[in-house]
Amino acid sequence: MLLRHVTIDCADPYELAGFWSKVTGWPVSDVDKPGDDEVLVEAPAPVPGLLFIRVPEAKTVKNRVHFDWVPTELTRDEEVERIVALGAKLHEDHRTAEGRGWVTLLDPEGNEFCVEQGKPTPVG
């Protein structure tokens, strides 16, 4: 069995897919357009894509599943700053004085996700 997509319910699939495309660097599918009810962010194989589907109800509680991202090019703190500049909001800060820990952010529709320590973050 192969995991094809991770599906995220949302109010505006094209807008939220655009945010996640900028976060990941993965493209929005060429066949998807603003106003579509389903929009795919295409991940490099064999990683599953992110499929955003319009639903009528708003998010009301904490996610039961969320992403834990590990930066590969930047430090955790640089990555958090970059993602916040793209439109995410800081939700919970679990960084320690020793430079360890993670940060929980909210995407533009309030879905939680974490940025963990990848490349060491200098202390001081």
Side-chain angles (χ1 to χ4, degrees), residues 65-108:
V65 174
H66 70 263
F67 299 120
D68 288 340
W69 297 99
V70 177
T72 57
E73 309 272 326
L74 303 172
T75 67
R76 176 206 52 225
D77 295 349
E78 291 167 337
E79 192 65 57
V80 167
E81 288 178 26
R82 183 185 76 82
I83 296 170
V84 167
L86 292 173
K89 293 185 177 138
L90 179 66
H91 181 59
E92 295 175 342
D93 193 334
H94 299 276
R95 292 176 277 197
T96 67
E98 299 80 33
R100 300 181 65 140
W102 69 95
V103 177
T104 304
L105 300 172
L106 302 175
D107 76 10

Side-chain angles (χ1 to χ4, degrees), residues 3-24:
L3 181 61
R4 183 174 182 190
H5 301 129
V6 175
T7 302
I8 298 108
D9 292 347
C10 60
D12 188 334
Y14 195 80
E15 184 177 319
L16 196 56
F19 167 81
W20 281 104
S21 176
K22 291 175 188 167
V23 168
T24 62

